[in-house]
Amino acid sequence: MSNEVYEIAIVGAGPAGMSAAINAKARDKDVVIFESSQVAKKIGWAPHVDNYLGFSKVSGEELAEQFIDHIKELEIPVIKEKVVQIFPMGDQLMLTTNGESYQVKKLILAIGVVQEAKILGEADYVGQGISYCATCDGRLYKDKEVLVISDSAHHEDEANFLADICETVYYIPQYEEIKDLDDRIKVVREKVKEITGKDLADKVKTDQQEYEVDGIFILRETVPPSEIVAGLELDGKYIKVDREFKTSVQGIYAAGDCIGRPLQISKATGEGQVAALKAIEELAQE
């Protein structure tokens, strides 16, 4: 566990997360961003952005570079780890990733569009045979058979971790090019149709066959928010917040696409700024 206690931690490095970070930093707060994927990734995908004030003719990639440069100029650290769980601990929060634990005073969730269960049967077995973090739960399946469904090469290290523990690891990549996967892992190029089981999820049906395994790992860019924070209240598929961007969990705020439409850069940056200011106000009162 890291001994440092951050005043404000932000999960997600999109417009909301980066806006929150620069506003907290401008007020001399000790701030850190957690982002397991590419910083400003989705902005960079846009061919052009024509509705962001002051940037009438800019590509998504150019705007992303401007955002990233601002973060770098302020020397805001970005920890490249996936946040998997957050635990309230009195006047602090403990944030665990797939490699470490951190202590923070206030947390801002800026994780983008809320990750919903995408596979038929997935929502029925969350925490019952389905895990979203291999390094967290992998040891529960020592010498057993598991199946991994992954949407990015970023997760291959987690699958490799399982190869050292489990008897058999099946790997279903939902992307084209495999980068650095352990040779012991059995790659399955099939389309996942359904997850089933009795008390626990133990079967994965594809468009070609059925796999009976002891555990199923679904590795995505982000973990569903209700899995990250126990008791986090949702409004439909979005995180529920009040007018100060507070969530139902003390010390945790949320901003950007994860709290609802419209899914726009300008909305996200404004919400990130306000969430940071409200977190700072709450810090000052403690």
Side-chain angles (χ1 to χ4, degrees):
M1 177 184 289
S2 172
N3 292 323
E4 183 172 1
V5 179
Y6 293 102
E7 290 180 297
I8 297 178
I10 298 155
V11 183
M18 288 190 282
S19 176
I22 64 170
N23 280 281
K25 185 71 172 183
R27 287 156 180 79
D28 296 321
K29 297 304 175 185
D30 184 23
V31 61
V32 62
I33 297 174
F34 289 86
E35 175 56 74
S36 62
S37 183
Q38 179 182 336
V39 175
K41 179 179 178 179
K42 291 183 179 178
I43 305 172
W45 288 346
H48 63 274
V49 177
D50 56 12
N51 64 346
Y52 190 65
L53 184 63
F55 294 85
S56 60
K57 296 179 181 179
V58 65
S59 69
E61 185 176 358
E62 290 168 336
L63 188 59
E65 288 176 358
Q66 293 277 358
F67 287 0
I68 293 167
D69 287 345
H70 199 164
I71 294 294
K72 289 180 177 178
E73 286 171 11
L74 294 178
E75 298 181 344
I76 296 171
V78 178
I79 296 177
K80 303 291 288 183
E81 296 175 13
K82 181 173 69 176
V83 175
V84 293
Q85 279 190 308
I86 298 162
F87 302 97
M89 299 179 65
D91 59 352
Q92 294 183 5
L93 299 155
M94 185 173 74
L95 182 153
T96 64
T97 69
N98 52 3
E100 186 59 271
S101 295
Y102 302 86
Q103 298 176 72
V104 303
K105 292 183 178 180
K106 303 297 174 189
L107 182 75
I108 299 173
L109 295 173
I111 57 177
V113 177
V114 173
Q115 190 67 265
E116 297 178 284
K118 296 181 177 180
I119 302 167
L120 182 63
E122 176 185 343
D124 298 328
Y125 294 99
V126 173
Q128 296 177 294
I130 291 178
S131 171
Y132 295 97
C133 179
T135 53
C136 304
D137 300 327
R139 297 194 184 280
L140 298 174
Y141 300 95
K142 181 176 173 60
D143 299 326
K144 295 183 179 181
E145 291 193 349
V146 299
L147 185 143
V148 177
I149 303 165
S150 170
D151 68 358
S152 170
H154 291 298
H155 309 308
E156 290 178 8
D157 58 340
E158 290 193 67
N160 293 341
F161 173 83
L162 292 173
D164 288 330
I165 298 171
C166 303
E167 180 180 340
T168 305
V169 179
Y170 297 102
Y171 189 82
I172 302 182
Q174 298 179 318
Y175 57 95
E176 292 298 323
E177 185 180 354
I178 289 176
K179 302 290 186 181
D180 188 25
L181 203 61
D182 193 293
D183 291 337
R184 294 170 292 177
I185 295 172
K186 298 181 179 181
V187 177
V188 178
R189 290 287 186 181
E190 298 170 14
K191 185 176 181 180
V192 178
K193 292 291 189 179
E194 185 179 6
I195 295 173
T196 62
K198 293 183 179 179
D199 296 330
L200 299 174
D202 58 11
K203 294 182 179 67
V204 177
K205 295 180 180 179
T206 72
D207 56 351
Q208 297 182 34
Q209 57 187 304
E210 181 176 277
Y211 295 86
E212 187 166 347
V213 293
D214 298 293
I216 300 164
F217 291 87
I218 301 175
L219 306 181
R220 300 192 180 114
E221 294 282 340
T222 57
V223 178
S226 55
E227 285 299 296
I228 296 177
V229 189
L232 186 68
E233 188 175 350
L234 301 182
D235 182 6
K237 66 179 182 177
Y238 298 109
I239 299 172
K240 186 175 182 179
V241 296
D242 64 14
R243 291 180 62 84
E244 294 188 337
F245 299 95
K246 293 180 180 179
T247 71
S248 58
V249 180
Q250 178 62 35
I252 300 180
Y253 298 75
D257 289 357
C258 64
I259 68 169
R261 295 179 177 274
L263 310 182
Q264 299 287 334
I265 295 172
S266 55
K267 168 184 172 289
T269 54
E271 289 175 346
Q273 177 190 29
V274 177
L277 295 177
K278 294 302 180 181
I280 292 166
E281 285 180 10
E282 196 170 76
L283 280 171
Q285 295 169 4
E286 295 179 351

